[in-house]
């Protein structure tokens, strides 16, 4: 039976590849909706970009919703320096045929979950957690219907990528992250610790480009743009392909390994706001609230991605 999922994202080239991977796998993943949030670029662009990705994947009937245009408390920080002005630099921008639904993303999440069976729907956030946190706050009863949350965010062994001590999604909305990590549900965390092990190399991007369909060509072109910033920053060939790790885990958990940990979010200190404090060795004795993914078979990850991209025409 296919996994019912809601993807909450801030496209972003890596979010876009996560969407392509999910859209390529209808037998395993039933996408109930794509909700969008301000993050890499402002909301008006992230929602448009999600719809452009649906058009390119010829999935124009996919339900796309716009959510929160700013974090719960702190000011919005965006990442045009990484993703370009459009958020998905590397491909041409066009007016998408995929429609934007009228309902607010938070209301879509609440309405979908409140009528759903117990433990029946997986949430897949790949951006700041504002929409997810506000849905939980608006109607805590939805927690009963959420099977698990598979999210991209955080860092422990890796340094921060927005501040010295915080990963982008956690830093942009640390208060939302706190709500989510305290909600009591199973959380699978794809942090920088693992996403920095799935690097887009010239060879891997070349293999994607050689597939030759519209989705693989868009993917290759976006990754060429996306890789330039991190390649320079980290001095490596390629960039960590963050967000698709969430979908890849849903498609093949055996590619990944991790450890149950207690994870807490810093929401007070201006210096370390958004830091994920991971008690990896259980020294503080708090109950584990997350599975902290540490390792990945990166060749297996790219084999999966490339094989799924081949499915498009
Ligand atoms: O830190 C990486 C994360 O921040 C990814 O989700 C990327 O898309 C940005 O949102
Ligand atoms: Ca993202």
């Amino acid at each position: 039976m296919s996994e019912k999922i809601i993807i909450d994202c801030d496209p972003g080239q890596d979010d876009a590849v996560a969407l392509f991977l999910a859209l390529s796998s209808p037998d395993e993943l039933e996408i109930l909706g794509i909700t969008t949030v301000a993050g890499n670029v402002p909301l008006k662009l992230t929602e448009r970009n999600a719809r452009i990705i649906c058009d390119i994947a010829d999935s124009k009937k996919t339900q796309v919703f716009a959510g929160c245009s700013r974090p719960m408390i702190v000011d919005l920080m965006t990442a045009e320096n990484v993703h370009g002005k459009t958020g998905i630099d590397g491909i041409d921008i066009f007016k998408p045929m995929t429609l934007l639904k009228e309902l607010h993303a938070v209301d879509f999440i609440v309405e979908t979950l409140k009528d759903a069976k117990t433990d029946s729907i997986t949430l897949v956030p790949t951006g700041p957690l504002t929409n997810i946190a506000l849905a939980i706050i608006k109607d805590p009863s939805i927690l009963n219907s959420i099977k698990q949350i598979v999210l991209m965010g955080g860092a422990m062994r890796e340094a921060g990528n927005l501040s010295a001590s915080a990963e982008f999604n956690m830093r942009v909305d640390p208060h939302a992250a706190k709500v989510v990590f305290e909600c009591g549900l199973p959380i699978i965390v794809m942090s920088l610790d693992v996403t920095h092990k799935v690097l887009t190399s010239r060879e891997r991007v070349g293999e994607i480009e050689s597939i030759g369909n519209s989705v693989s060509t868009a993917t290759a072109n976006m990754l060429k743009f996306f890789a330039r910033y991190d390649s320079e920053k980290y001095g490596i060939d390629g960039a960590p392909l963050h967000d698709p790790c969430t979908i890849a885990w849903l498609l093949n958990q055996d590619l990944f390994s991790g450890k149950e940990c207690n994870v807490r979010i810093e929401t007070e200190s201006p210096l370390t706001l958004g830091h994920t404090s991971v008690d990896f060795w259980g020294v503080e004795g708090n109950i584990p609230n997350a599975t902290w993914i540490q390792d990945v078979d990166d060749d297996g990850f790219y084999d999966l991605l490339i094989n799924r991209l081949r499915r498009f025409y």
Side-chain angles (χ1 to χ4, degrees):
M1 188 170 75
S2 62
E3 190 92 42
K4 295 182 188 300
I5 67 172
I6 294 173
I7 302 173
D8 187 73
C9 55
D10 62 333
Q13 290 90 348
D14 58 325
D15 303 75
V17 179
L19 292 175
F20 281 149
L21 185 56
L23 289 164
S24 76
S25 311
D27 294 342
E28 292 116 312
L29 302 174
E30 180 186 351
I31 302 173
L32 302 178
I34 296 172
T35 53
T36 55
V37 67
N40 288 320
V41 287
L43 177 68
K44 67 180 184 314
L45 298 183
T46 59
E47 66 88 355
R48 178 206 64 188
N49 294 344
R51 293 189 288 128
I52 285 175
I53 294 307
C54 289
D55 273 32
I56 295 172
D58 197 20
S59 298
K60 300 182 181 67
K61 290 192 173 55
T62 304
Q63 295 194 103
V64 178
F65 302 83
C68 296
S69 58
R70 52 147 301 156
M72 287 173 64
I73 294 174
V74 297
D75 292 338
L76 176 62
M77 298 169 79
T78 54
E80 287 85 351
N81 57 323
V82 179
H83 298 273
K85 279 190 181 158
T86 71
I88 49 173
D89 277 29
I91 61 172
D92 293 337
I93 298 300
F94 57 88
K95 184 172 170 35
M97 302 279 282
T98 302
L99 297 176
L100 180 68
K101 304 298 276 185
E102 294 241 324
L103 192 59
H104 190 284
V106 171
D107 294 324
F108 166 72
I109 294 168
V110 170
E111 295 306 311
T112 303
L113 288 169
K114 70 190 302 183
D115 300 334
K117 290 185 185 137
T118 303
D119 299 340
S120 63
I121 296 175
T122 292
L123 301 185
V124 187
T126 62
L129 292 166
T130 319
N131 290 340
I132 309 300
L134 289 183
I136 293 170
I137 292 169
K138 180 169 184 176
D139 185 351
S141 73
I142 65 173
L143 293 173
N144 296 326
S145 311
I146 302 172
K147 175 180 177 183
Q148 62 199 344
I149 298 174
V150 186
L151 68 84
M152 192 279 143
M156 181 220 353
R157 298 187 194 281
E158 285 288 335
N161 62 1
L162 183 55
S163 73
S165 56
E167 177 277 329
F168 181 86
N169 291 334
M170 299 296 109
R171 174 58 188 83
V172 167
D173 198 337
H175 302 88
K178 182 176 184 342
V179 169
V180 172
F181 275 87
E182 292 180 351
C183 76
L185 290 171
I187 302 177
I188 312 298
V189 185
M190 293 289 167
S191 74
L192 298 183
D193 294 5
V194 67
T195 67
H196 277 227
K197 297 177 181 175
V198 284
L199 299 178
T200 68
S201 63
R202 283 192 190 84
E203 183 190 351
R204 283 166 168 167
V205 174
E207 195 173 346
I208 290 169
E209 191 165 35
S210 69
I211 297 170
N213 62 47
S214 53
V215 170
S216 59
T217 301
T219 298
N221 290 335
M222 283 192 290
L223 292 185
K224 283 177 194 170
F225 179 89
F226 177 67
R228 95 224 171 280
Y229 179 85
D230 281 348
S231 296
E232 197 178 314
K233 177 172 162 181
Y234 300 116
I236 50 176
D237 166 24
L241 194 46
H242 308 290
D243 295 336
C245 287
T246 58
I247 303 297
W249 185 86
L250 287 169
L251 295 174
N252 183 358
Q253 293 184 22
D254 293 342
L255 291 174
F256 299 89
S257 62
K259 186 171 186 279
E260 301 296 315
C261 297
N262 180 268
V263 179
R264 293 191 291 164
I265 310 293
E266 175 60 64
T267 55
E268 305 293 334
S269 156
L271 177 65
T272 57
L273 202 56
H275 176 69
T276 41
S277 175
V278 182
D279 187 359
F280 195 75
W281 300 115
V283 295
E284 295 177 353
N286 296 312
I287 297 168
N289 60 343
T291 302
W292 191 264
I293 301 297
Q294 281 270 83
D295 289 307
V296 58
D297 166 5
D298 60 324
D299 287 331
F301 170 88
Y302 277 96
D303 288 346
L304 172 67
L305 176 60
I306 287 164
N307 288 333
R308 294 296 163 109
L309 291 176
R310 289 189 200 285
R311 291 182 170 186
F312 292 99
Y313 297 101

